[in-house]
Amino acid sequence: MNQQIELVVYGAEVLCASCVNLPSSKEQYDWLQAAISRKYGDDYVTYRYVDIYNPPNEEPYQQFAEKVVEEDMIFPVVLVEDEIVGEGNPRLKTVYKALEERGLSPSS
């Protein structure tokens, strides 16, 4: 595999109302990055964290951050490429499946 897969986590410093007992978006971003790196290595996935209340001034990040706020999505919202693979409490199994569908395989 020679192509980078982008994983983007949209979240905020404050916890969403539905996520009171869950880790923060940033903590879940760090957890996902560590778990994916352990299973697949560090070579083929790029990670980006986007604060939904202070997104970067570039597309598509700014537009999707606005969508998360406007549609009251439960954050963090996890995207692999342009596919939503998790909301609120992302499941590793779902994230792994999306990565593998894009050609990533576990490192040995």
Side-chain angles (χ1 to χ4, degrees):
M1 169 161 192
N2 296 333
Q3 183 177 335
Q4 290 287 312
I5 299 170
E6 182 180 46
L7 183 137
V8 183
V9 175
Y10 290 85
E13 299 244 349
V14 296
L15 293 177
C16 71
S18 302
C19 306
V20 174
N21 293 322
L22 296 175
S24 71
S25 296
K26 187 70 169 150
E27 289 170 328
Q28 290 192 47
Y29 167 75
D30 292 338
W31 168 74
L32 280 169
Q33 191 171 358
I36 292 166
S37 293
R38 272 193 306 276
K39 183 165 182 157
Y40 299 102
D42 295 323
D43 296 332
Y44 300 110
V45 180
T46 58
Y47 303 91
R48 182 164 193 153
Y49 178 81
V50 176
D51 185 317
I52 60 174
Y53 298 116
N54 190 22
N57 193 16
E58 59 185 283
E59 295 303 332
Y61 308 109
Q62 185 175 30
Q63 183 178 8
F64 194 82
E66 290 170 6
K67 179 180 176 173
V68 172
V69 173
E70 289 171 6
E71 295 183 10
D72 287 328
M73 296 174 87
I74 300 171
F75 50 87
V77 177
V78 180
L79 273 69
V80 171
E81 295 300 325
D82 294 327
E83 177 188 359
I84 297 173
V85 296
E87 239 185 286
N89 188 15
R91 302 279 181 232
L92 273 178
K93 188 174 184 178
T94 307
V95 175
Y96 289 166
K97 181 179 181 217
L99 293 169
E100 291 173 5
E101 285 173 352
R102 287 160 179 80
L104 198 60
S105 56
S107 56
S108 36

